[in-house]
Amino acid sequence: METIGLKREKLITEIQRSQNEGLLEELYQFIQRENQLEDVYHLSDEQKKAIAVAREQIDNGEFYTNEKVEEEISKWLEE
């Protein structure tokens, strides 16, 4: 199995050899999107805990359906 460093070196070599402008543009856009996605989805420990609690609540049936929320809002607005 190759290490990430070796794979990176091989990829760089192949990119440098390529004369296919369309391929290079697609690779560039793909890598750029991937790097942006990694930046977007970094959660703090507190956020991860909050998500875990929310998932547990859902598993335990502790949630409102959209229909129920709409009913409650309608009742509240009628008061």
Side-chain angles (χ1 to χ4, degrees):
M1 187 158 87
E2 296 180 26
T3 65
I4 188 82
L6 187 55
K7 288 179 182 178
R8 182 179 291 124
E9 286 178 26
K10 286 182 176 182
L11 181 59
I12 290 169
T13 299
E14 291 302 317
I15 290 171
Q16 289 173 333
R17 288 180 45 207
S18 179
Q19 298 299 312
N20 185 333
E21 188 174 339
L23 174 65
L24 294 172
E25 180 63 31
E26 289 294 321
L27 283 169
Y28 174 77
Q29 289 178 10
F30 177 78
I31 291 170
Q32 190 176 34
R33 278 192 304 270
E34 282 295 306
N35 288 339
Q36 287 173 351
L37 284 177
E38 286 178 13
D39 292 342
V40 172
Y41 294 107
H42 289 274
L43 301 175
S44 69
D45 289 339
E46 184 176 326
Q47 290 169 318
K48 290 175 186 177
K49 288 177 187 174
I51 291 169
V53 168
R55 286 182 173 160
E56 188 174 323
Q57 288 172 327
I58 291 169
D59 290 343
N60 294 332
E62 300 170 12
F63 62 91
Y64 293 103
T65 63
N66 190 51
E67 292 80 18
K68 182 67 175 172
V69 170
E70 288 178 5
E71 285 176 27
E72 293 295 321
I73 291 172
S74 293
K75 288 178 187 176
W76 178 73
L77 290 173
E78 290 174 3
E79 291 179 359

